[in-house]
Amino acid sequence: GCVTDPDGTPHPFGPGDAVVLPKGWYGRWDISQLIHKVWMVHAHDDVAGMSTTPVVVPLAGMGQTTTLYAAGPTRTGCIVPQPGRRVVTNQPATEAFHILEGSVVLTGADGAARQCSPGDMVVLPKGWSGSWDIAGPAKLLMAEASD
């Protein structure tokens, strides 16, 4: 597929790519086959100097945590967490994750646990406390929205 700016500049994408359309972008989507879209929208004030150019990044083979786009209160990225436990206390921003690979067990401060697998979407609100348990390799697409 391809997203195309009004001036005709194409931004092609393929299977396994992440496409970030920044606030203010408009243009055309051309999709020639079925795709899986995950929409994460963060309404925020304009950020001076923020680019409205689409970002297309292949996620296949990405072996490290990488920021794909960051502007003001919004950040998106691919997270490749190390196996183990990560404890979170009073998370400072809302985070949304789409599990691409691996398995993650999230346990809230109340002790309620949930296993998340590829294809699952998770939203952890600002102020969330709990733990992440990651048994093996994992990859997550992430969007973070702060105030």
Side-chain angles (χ1 to χ4, degrees):
C2 188
V3 291
T4 304
D5 295 336
D7 67 1
T9 303
H11 305 277
F13 61 89
D17 289 352
V19 178
V20 179
L21 302 175
K23 180 178 181 180
W25 179 84
Y26 64 98
R28 200 173 88 190
W29 281 84
D30 293 307
I31 301 172
S32 57
Q33 60 187 6
L34 292 176
I35 65 171
H36 180 84
K37 292 187 288 187
V38 176
W39 292 99
M40 295 184 220
V41 178
H42 179 214
H44 59 81
D45 292 334
D46 290 340
V47 176
M50 180 179 79
S51 172
T52 58
T53 302
V55 176
V56 177
V57 179
L59 299 178
M62 188 174 287
Q64 62 185 5
T65 296
T66 303
T67 296
L68 305 178
Y69 181 83
T74 304
R75 185 171 67 97
T76 62
C78 181
I79 296 180
V80 182
Q82 296 297 313
R85 173 170 272 201
R86 175 180 162 223
V87 175
V88 177
T89 303
N90 195 22
Q91 182 166 280
T94 297
E95 294 181 343
F97 299 91
H98 180 73
I99 311 295
L100 300 171
E101 299 173 10
S103 177
V104 176
V105 176
L106 293 170
T107 305
D110 62 358
R114 168 137 190 165
Q115 181 167 345
C116 304
S117 303
D120 287 347
M121 184 75 185
V122 177
V123 177
L124 299 176
K126 178 179 177 178
W128 182 83
S129 294
S131 64
W132 293 66
D133 289 296
I134 304 164
K139 187 181 291 185
L140 304 89
L141 191 58
M142 174 277 300
E144 178 182 272
S146 60
D147 294 338

